[in-house]
Amino acid sequence: MSTPYKRRKPSLIRNFWLYRYVIAIAFVLGVLLWFVVINNARVEVSFPFGMGSLSSSTGIIILLSAMAGSMLTMMAMGVLYALRRLKAGVESAEFEKDSVTFDDELPPSDYASKAPEGFDQSPWSDRS
């Protein structure tokens, strides 16, 4: 007797969906390669304060400058996140100082065991 489950034929659309990230990365890398090849004019970049110079094609220089800008942005965001975390730690410590005075206004911890059960003296109660 044959199996009740039919083997599915491989679908091209399903394979594209499974490998969508690989396809997207390949597309982006292809566009970058096309960008570098199409911008092949020679340029020379001189760094300030006599730190040196770099001679390459326009596409590579633009990609290197974009990568340097991204790295600086990541470092700046890391510093900002660290400062926010430090500031949040200081604010939570100040909140804990204020919560000590707030604890004096709370009822004692065994309040529920000492309280009478129900609302016997309330006007809406049926047990009056």
Side-chain angles (χ1 to χ4, degrees):
M1 181 168 177
S2 66
T3 179
Y5 302 106
K6 282 179 64 175
R7 178 170 164 81
R8 281 209 248 174
K9 294 179 183 177
S11 171
L12 186 63
I13 294 172
R14 185 167 173 249
N15 284 341
F16 274 135
W17 183 251
L18 289 175
Y19 297 110
R20 63 187 179 269
Y21 298 115
V22 175
I23 293 169
I25 290 171
F27 177 75
V28 168
L29 290 176
V31 169
L32 285 176
L33 179 65
W34 175 79
F35 179 78
V36 169
V37 169
I38 204 74
N39 292 313
N40 60 356
R42 301 296 292 174
V43 292
E44 185 166 334
V45 178
S46 296
F47 294 105
F49 307 115
M51 291 173 38
S53 64
L54 176 68
S55 178
S56 184
S57 68
T58 307
I60 292 177
I61 295 295
I62 292 172
L63 288 177
L64 288 176
S65 65
M67 191 168 31
S70 298
M71 294 297 287
L72 285 173
T73 302
M74 285 193 306
M75 287 190 289
M77 292 302 291
V79 169
L80 287 176
Y81 285 142
L83 290 175
R84 282 185 184 175
R85 183 172 283 180
L86 287 174
K87 186 177 178 184
V90 169
E91 289 176 356
S92 67
E94 290 175 0
F95 177 73
E96 289 174 2
K97 287 180 189 175
D98 294 339
S99 66
V100 172
T101 59
F102 182 70
D103 288 340
D104 295 338
E105 298 173 5
L106 294 176
S109 59
D110 58 347
Y111 174 76
S113 65
K114 293 180 180 178
E117 186 158 340
F119 299 106
D120 291 335
Q121 290 81 20
S122 61
W124 60 82
S125 175
D126 292 347
R127 295 186 250 164
S128 54

